């Protein structure tokens, strides 16, 4: 059912939706700009390489994110009229795209950790079981939310908005709490093995940046972004939080939207590109060095455990 009203009481809501649409467009521009910025890397490190599971996951995350962002822009256009059914489809698309993106990111994290732990079968089983428990629980919650979702078109002073109902903030926050537990566990395991690795490097007197440094750097940035998004989402349970009637509320929701898109569709793909780029650089350096006479004195040098760790991680992605 469509609600039509010219009542001035709706003006704060109209202003809120208008400003929110600006943030939506801004976040979409950032996602597309990052894709354009890294497309050369993508072409060299993904398209020109043999197809693998990681390549498929990368492409799904990168281009799925662009499609998701563009649909969000269309849904936020105040002059575009949509039916109640289309409103619900837009909202379902947002929920399920978030779920699918987080599953892809989880598989990427498992692959990275599996390589960092020298392809330990026990570690792989532990990570898969834990991730499945979190994902299945979150999936069930999303299904419950979806089944109760309602949508209504609002025509307010000549602008078109979508009003959603039936979703539970508590259930939504629960999925983010579960996601935070998973991400914190992954970060702990990554830091734990990285510290062991760095100690070994220091004991040999090597301070050259290797793939473990690249892995940890990209992971810390990713986790910090995820923690920011989760904090925004979980804090919606607070009764002191915004209701959409002030500039502070607009900024709050706008920041939440931008961080969410950047965490999944900008930092997510870079988890793959950063390691592949480092591996390519190492190969180039080795090819250059192999022509030097001095390399003959190093041909039979033992390969350190650290080097084996790095090769595992680079081959995995």
């Amino acid at each position: 059912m469509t609600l039509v009203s010219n009542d001035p009481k709706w003006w704060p809501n109209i202003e809120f939706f208008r400003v929110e649409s600006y943030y939506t467009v801004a976040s979409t521009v950032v996602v597309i700009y990052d894709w354009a910025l890294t497309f050369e890397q993508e072409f060299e490190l993904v398209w020109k390489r043999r197809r693998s599971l990681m390549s498929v996951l990368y492409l799904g995350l990168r281009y799925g994110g662009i499609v998701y962002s563009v649909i969000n822009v269309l849904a936020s256009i105040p002059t575009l009229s949509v039916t109640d059914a289309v409103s619900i489809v837009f909202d379902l698309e947002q929920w399920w795209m978030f779920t699918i993106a987080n599953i892809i990111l989880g598989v990427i994290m498992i692959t990275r950790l599996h390589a960092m732990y020298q392809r330990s079968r026990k570690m792989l089983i532990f990570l898969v079981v834990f991730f499945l428990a979190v994902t299945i629980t979150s999936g069930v919650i999303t299904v419950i939310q979806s089944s109760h979702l309602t949508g209504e078109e609002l025509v307010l002073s000549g602008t078109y908005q979508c009003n959603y109902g039936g979703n539970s903030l508590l259930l939504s926050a629960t999925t983010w709490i579960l996601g935070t537990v998973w991400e914190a566990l992954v970060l702990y395991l990554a830091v734990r093995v990285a510290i062991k690795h760095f100690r070994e490097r220091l004991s040999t007197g090597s301070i050259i940046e290797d793939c473990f440094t690249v892995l940890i750097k990209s992971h810390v940035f990713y986790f910090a972004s995820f923690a920011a998004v989760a904090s925004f989402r979980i804090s919606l349970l607070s009764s002191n939080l915004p209701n959409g009637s002030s500039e502070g509320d607009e900024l709050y929701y706008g920041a939440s939207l931008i961080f969410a898109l950047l965490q999944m569709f900008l930092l997510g793909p870079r988890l793959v590109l950063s390691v592949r780029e480092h591996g390519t650089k190492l190969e180039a350096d080795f090819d250059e060095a192999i022509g030097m006479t001095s390399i003959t004195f190093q041909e039979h040098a033992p390969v350190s455990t650290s080097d084996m760790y790095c090769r595992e991680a680079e081959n995995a992605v």
Side-chain angles (χ1 to χ4, degrees), residues 7-179:
D7 194 326
K9 74 176 183 180
W10 291 103
W11 289 355
N13 298 79
I14 295 173
E15 178 65 14
F16 175 80
F17 288 132
R18 183 180 64 83
V19 174
E20 185 184 38
S21 69
Y22 295 160
Y23 283 108
T24 301
V25 172
S27 58
T28 300
V29 169
V30 171
V31 170
I32 295 177
Y33 175 74
D34 181 71
W35 166 74
L37 199 63
T38 59
F39 182 75
E40 184 178 355
Q41 287 178 290
E42 177 186 309
F43 184 75
E44 293 293 332
L45 303 176
V46 179
W47 290 105
K48 291 180 66 174
R49 290 196 178 188
R50 178 177 56 85
R51 289 291 178 269
S52 65
L53 173 62
M54 196 57 59
S55 297
V56 174
L57 293 177
Y58 169 86
L59 294 173
L61 192 61
R62 171 63 86 185
Y63 290 94
I66 293 175
V67 172
Y68 171 86
S69 301
V70 171
I71 292 177
N72 270 1
V73 170
L74 295 176
S76 66
I77 298 176
T79 56
L80 179 64
S81 175
V82 295
T83 63
D84 294 352
V86 174
S87 299
I88 295 177
V89 169
F90 277 148
D91 205 33
L92 288 176
E93 174 266 339
Q94 291 180 344
W95 282 1
W96 284 106
M97 189 60 201
F98 264 64
T99 301
I100 293 171
N102 283 320
I103 290 175
I104 293 175
L105 288 167
V107 175
I108 291 174
M109 291 301 182
I110 290 174
T111 304
R112 287 160 62 102
L113 279 176
H114 186 214
M116 293 173 77
Y117 278 85
Q118 290 187 288
R119 301 191 181 279
S120 167
R121 187 173 182 178
K122 289 183 179 180
M123 178 57 67
L124 177 62
I125 293 174
F126 170 72
L127 291 171
V128 169
V129 170
F130 195 98
F131 181 66
L132 282 176
V134 170
T135 301
I136 291 173
T137 304
S138 298
V140 170
I141 291 175
T142 303
V143 170
I144 294 174
Q145 293 271 69
S146 301
S147 63
H148 292 88
L149 182 65
T150 60
E152 181 183 26
E153 182 186 21
L154 306 179
V155 183
L156 307 175
S157 300
T159 64
Y160 298 90
Q161 311 294 342
C162 296
N163 184 40
Y164 304 108
N167 57 329
S168 168
L169 289 179
L170 178 59
L171 289 178
S172 297
T174 300
T175 62
W176 283 98
I177 291 173
L178 291 172

